[in-house]
Amino acid sequence: MNLLNYLIPFALALGLLILVHEMGHYLVARWCGVKVLRFSIGFGKPLYVRRAGRDGTEWAIAAFPLGGYVKMLDEREAPVAPAELHRSFNRQSVYRRFAIVAAGPLANFLLAIVLYWGLFVAGTEELRPRIALSDTPAIAVAAGVREGDLVVAVDEEPVLSWQDLRWVLLRHALDRREVLLQVRTLEDVETFRRFDLSGIAIDGEDQDLIARIGLKPWRPLIRPVLGRLSEDGAAARAGLLPGDEVLAIGGEPIAAWGELVLKVRQAPGVPLRFEIRRAGEEAEYLVTPDAASENGERIGRIGVAVAEPAPGGLSMFATVRYGPFDAAAKAVRQTWETSVLSLQMIGRMITGEVSWKNLSGPVTIADYAGQSAQLGLSHYLKFVALISISLGVLNLLPIPVLDGGHLLYYTVEIIKGGPIPERVMEIGQQIGLVLLVMLMAFAFYNDINRLISG
C-alpha cells in the first residue's frame, strides 16, 4: 500500500473543505463590514503568512491542519482603535453575528450541492441495482428475492443505481420497519418483494448493511473466452489466440472467467495445461504464467483480457444522468437527506439505538479518501460532497466552541433581548472543549480498532 495514495487525496479534500468553510465566514464578515485580521488554514504556529487586501488581512497556513479559523477585529480579544470600533465583530447586531457564524456550515452544504449537481448533469457510470443473494440470505429469502431481480423502486421511491438502493435501505433500516421493493425479474416481469428491516441494527459491523439484509450485486456469468492478448505475454507465447474458449485447466473444468483468473494467479512460474475450443475444435496448450508481484504477494499472469460481451447482454452498469433543473433538485434533496440522516445517526448514538462504532476519525476518512480516489474522479467527488455535509452538520451541533454553540448563544440572546453573561459563555466553552476532545478521542479509538482488527 502506497501511503501517498491515501494522504494526498485526504489532504486535498480536507484543504478544500476547510477553505470553503472559512471562506463562508470571511465573505459574510466582509459583507457585514467586519474587519478580518487573519484567514488561517490550520491551527497553531503559522508556517506561511502573506498580507493582502485593503485591510492587510493575514492569509496563513498553520502547522496543525485539522481545521482553520477566521480571526476578526473584536474588543474582547484586544483593544480596538476608536475609528474602527464600528468594524469590530462584537459591535455588530446579533443578526449579523448569527449570519457570519452560520455562513461557514452553509458554505459546506453549498459545496456539496454544487458537486452533486455537476455529477448529476455530467452523468456517472453506476452499478445497476440488480440483486443476488449474499452469504447470509435469510431476510432476502424470506422476501422472495430471486437472482437477477432489478430493483425499480423502494416504497415508491425510484432507484436508479446500487448506491441509490444502499442509501434508501439505510434510511429505512434506521426506522426498523417493513419496506416494499418493486423489482423487474430476469424474465421482465414486474413484481414486489417485502423486506422486514425491524431486526437490522446499525451497529458498525464490518459487513455491509445490504449484505446483512441478504443482498449483493448480481453478476452475470462471464464465459472464459480470451480477448486481447499482450504480444509478450505467456498466453501469446504459448500459441493461444483471441476468441479461444478455455474448457479446462490442469484437467479441472473452467466455467467462468473468474475461475480462470484464480487458477492463473495461484500458479506463478508453474506450467498449466489449457484445454481450449477454437473454431469448433478442441486443442491443448501448455502455458506457464509469468511471476508478478501484487501488494507483496507473488502471483501468476498470462497477459490476456476477457473478451467483450456479446451485444444485447445484461449490463452490470448504466450511465445515470439528469437535466440541469432535475439535477439541481436532486442535489438539494441529496444534501438535505444526508444531513437529516447524519443528525438521526448522532441522536440514536446518544440514545444507544445505534453503535458508537459508526463514528469515524481522520484515519478512516483518509482511508476512504484514498479508496474513492482510486475508483475514479466521480467517486472521489461524491466522497468530498459527503464529508462536506458531515462537516457542516458537525459544526451546527449546539456545542460551545463549535459554530452551533455560538448560534445557540445568539438564539438565546434574540429571545431574551440581551447577551448571555460572559462567565456563562466561558463555562460553556470549557464544557464544549471537553466534549469535543472526548468525541475526537473516541473517533481515534475507533480508527485504531479498525486498523488492528483489519
Side-chain angles (χ1 to χ4, degrees):
M1 180 184 72
N2 189 339
L3 195 59
L4 291 179
N5 290 340
Y6 294 83
L7 290 181
I8 292 175
F10 175 61
L12 289 175
L14 187 64
L16 174 63
L17 298 182
I18 295 172
L19 176 65
V20 168
H21 181 93
E22 301 305 334
M23 189 59 71
H25 291 311
Y26 172 81
L27 291 176
V28 176
R30 291 296 304 270
W31 180 72
C32 291
V34 176
K35 183 176 181 178
V36 178
L37 303 178
R38 173 178 288 177
F39 184 111
S40 177
I41 302 296
F43 297 105
K45 182 179 179 180
L47 302 177
Y48 170 83
V49 178
R50 184 187 175 203
R51 290 182 179 274
R54 184 183 58 188
D55 293 328
T57 301
E58 292 182 349
W59 298 83
I61 298 176
F64 190 65
L66 297 180
Y69 63 92
V70 171
K71 183 179 181 181
M72 290 168 268
L73 194 68
D74 196 313
E75 290 177 281
R76 295 168 297 183
E77 296 183 5
V80 176
E84 291 195 316
L85 284 175
H86 67 287
R87 302 192 65 192
S88 177
F89 176 78
N90 65 292
R91 291 288 182 110
Q92 306 304 309
S93 70
V94 65
Y95 298 103
R96 287 193 172 191
R97 283 179 276 135
F98 194 103
I100 292 169
V101 172
L106 292 180
N108 286 123
F109 294 134
L110 182 60
L111 173 64
I113 291 171
V114 170
L115 290 176
Y116 281 136
W117 180 84
L119 288 168
F120 294 151
V121 168
T124 55
E125 280 291 302
E126 301 283 354
L127 186 65
R128 289 181 185 272
R130 195 178 292 276
I131 56 180
L133 297 175
S134 72
D135 297 331
T136 52
I139 296 176
V141 169
V145 167
R146 293 175 57 191
E147 295 276 330
D149 282 349
L150 178 68
V151 180
V152 177
V154 177
D155 281 357
E156 299 185 349
E157 182 176 343
V159 170
L160 298 179
S161 67
W162 185 261
Q163 186 61 30
D164 284 351
L165 178 63
R166 292 181 72 250
W167 174 251
V168 175
L169 288 178
L170 174 61
R171 286 183 7 232
H172 290 311
L174 277 173
D175 296 329
R176 298 192 178 185
R177 63 179 183 83
E178 283 192 343
V179 294
L180 192 65
L181 271 64
Q182 181 182 347
V183 304
R184 186 178 297 118
T185 67
L186 287 174
E187 295 78 24
D188 203 30
V189 176
E190 289 210 0
T191 185
F192 295 90
R193 313 293 188 207
R194 188 175 296 277
F195 277 72
D196 183 5
L197 304 180
S198 59
I200 298 294
I202 312 300
D203 54 9
E205 291 184 4
D206 289 336
Q207 190 180 31
D208 185 75
L209 170 69
I210 285 192
R212 279 186 277 148
I213 293 171
L215 303 177
K216 67 179 181 181
W218 177 83
R219 299 180 183 277
L221 179 66
I222 302 176
R223 294 171 58 221
V225 178
L226 306 186
R228 182 174 54 84
L229 274 66
S230 297
E231 293 181 2
D232 58 348
R237 294 198 305 267
L240 295 179
L241 298 174
D244 288 348
E245 180 178 3
V246 179
L247 305 177
I249 297 178
E252 294 186 23
I254 299 295
W257 180 260
E259 297 174 6
L260 182 155
V261 172
L262 184 61
K263 281 285 186 183
V264 170
R265 285 176 63 90
Q266 293 175 340
V270 178
L272 297 175
R273 181 166 51 87
F274 274 60
E275 299 174 37
I276 64 105
R277 180 185 292 124
R278 180 186 298 167
E281 296 183 3
E282 296 183 8
E284 291 187 4
Y285 290 84
L286 196 63
V287 182
T288 303
D290 297 322
S293 179
E294 181 179 277
N295 295 328
E297 179 186 1
R298 192 167 179 263
I299 63 168
R301 286 180 178 163
I302 61 173
V304 62
V306 66
E308 292 291 330
L314 290 172
S315 172
M316 289 181 61
F317 295 89
T319 301
V320 178
R321 181 180 288 112
Y322 299 86
F325 296 106
D326 289 339
K330 183 169 175 60
V332 171
R333 181 183 175 188
Q334 181 76 31
T335 302
W336 170 257
E337 289 181 348
T338 305
S339 303
V340 171
L341 181 65
S342 299
L343 287 172
Q344 288 178 329
M345 291 285 284
I346 292 170
R348 297 190 184 196
M349 280 193 282
I350 292 172
T351 60
E353 295 179 63
V354 171
S355 172
W356 283 88
K357 293 179 182 178
N358 290 281
L359 192 64
S360 297
V363 177
T364 299
I365 295 172
D367 181 27
Y368 289 159
Q371 291 186 42
S372 62
Q374 291 172 42
L375 288 172
L377 180 61
S378 64
H379 292 277
Y380 181 64
L381 293 179
K382 286 180 184 178
F383 162 80
V384 174
L386 178 62
I387 298 302
S388 189
I389 294 170
S390 299
L391 182 61
V393 170
L394 175 65
N395 271 280
L396 284 178
L397 293 179
I399 300 175
V401 310
L402 295 179
D403 292 334
H406 293 288
L407 295 178
L408 177 63
Y409 290 151
Y410 299 150
T411 301
V412 173
E413 182 177 342
I414 292 171
I415 293 172
K416 69 186 289 288
I420 294 175
E422 290 286 339
R423 181 57 181 161
V424 173
M425 293 179 66
E426 289 175 7
I427 295 173
Q429 295 289 94
Q430 294 169 358
I431 294 173
L433 186 60
V434 170
L435 288 174
L436 196 59
V437 169
M438 290 174 61
L439 199 65
M440 292 179 64
F442 200 87
F444 271 112
Y445 169 80
N446 282 346
D447 284 350
I448 295 169
N449 194 44
R450 290 187 185 103
L451 287 175
I452 293 173
S453 64

